[in-house]
Amino acid sequence: MSSEFAVPHITLSSAYRQAQRATAAWLELDDAARPARFALPAVWSALDAVEHGRLARWLAWQHVAADTQGNHRLAARIERLDSTLDGVMSRALGQLPGQRTSLRRHLRASA
């Protein structure tokens, strides 16, 4: 008898993978990267609600990683780029493990 356990896998759509790649490329660039910045909303619009939430959680983790490295500009960049995604990301920040309060509120208060 085999005691294999099935490991659940998340299947990511090509639209999500493209949105994540485009967003990651934008995160690596500075604010002057206007062509990449203007392409993102079109890429994000191809996502369904579940994928939009996944992207927001991924961005929340990126925000935490940037903050731990001393980069406090990421939240402001996302807010300027897309206020809807910024709101969803802010809610996702509060739901991350180890985040008792919204890291975003803390950063705004300390700025």
Side-chain angles (χ1 to χ4, degrees):
M1 289 190 134
S2 176
S3 62
E4 292 183 34
F5 294 97
V7 177
H9 293 279
I10 296 175
T11 303
L12 302 174
S13 71
S14 62
Y16 178 82
R17 289 190 311 269
Q18 180 182 7
Q20 190 179 40
R21 271 190 237 115
T23 305
W26 174 76
L27 291 174
E28 295 295 321
L29 300 172
D30 62 12
D31 289 332
R34 293 178 78 75
R37 177 180 160 192
F38 290 118
L40 287 176
V43 173
W44 293 338
S45 68
L47 302 177
D48 64 23
V50 171
E51 291 171 330
H52 201 262
R54 283 182 183 150
L55 185 66
R57 283 188 299 279
W58 177 77
L59 276 172
W61 280 114
Q62 298 302 311
H63 182 279
V64 170
D67 184 58
T68 59
Q69 295 173 357
N71 178 1
H72 305 295
R73 298 179 330 132
L74 180 60
R77 288 182 67 202
I78 292 169
E79 184 176 22
R80 282 192 308 272
L81 184 66
D82 187 303
S83 61
T84 302
L85 186 60
D86 176 63
V88 177
M89 184 197 73
S90 293
R91 286 189 296 280
L93 269 170
Q95 296 172 356
L96 294 179
Q99 302 295 322
R100 293 192 186 275
T101 60
S102 174
L103 180 61
R104 188 142 165 65
R105 277 187 236 133
H106 171 72
L107 290 176
R108 281 194 176 162
S110 65

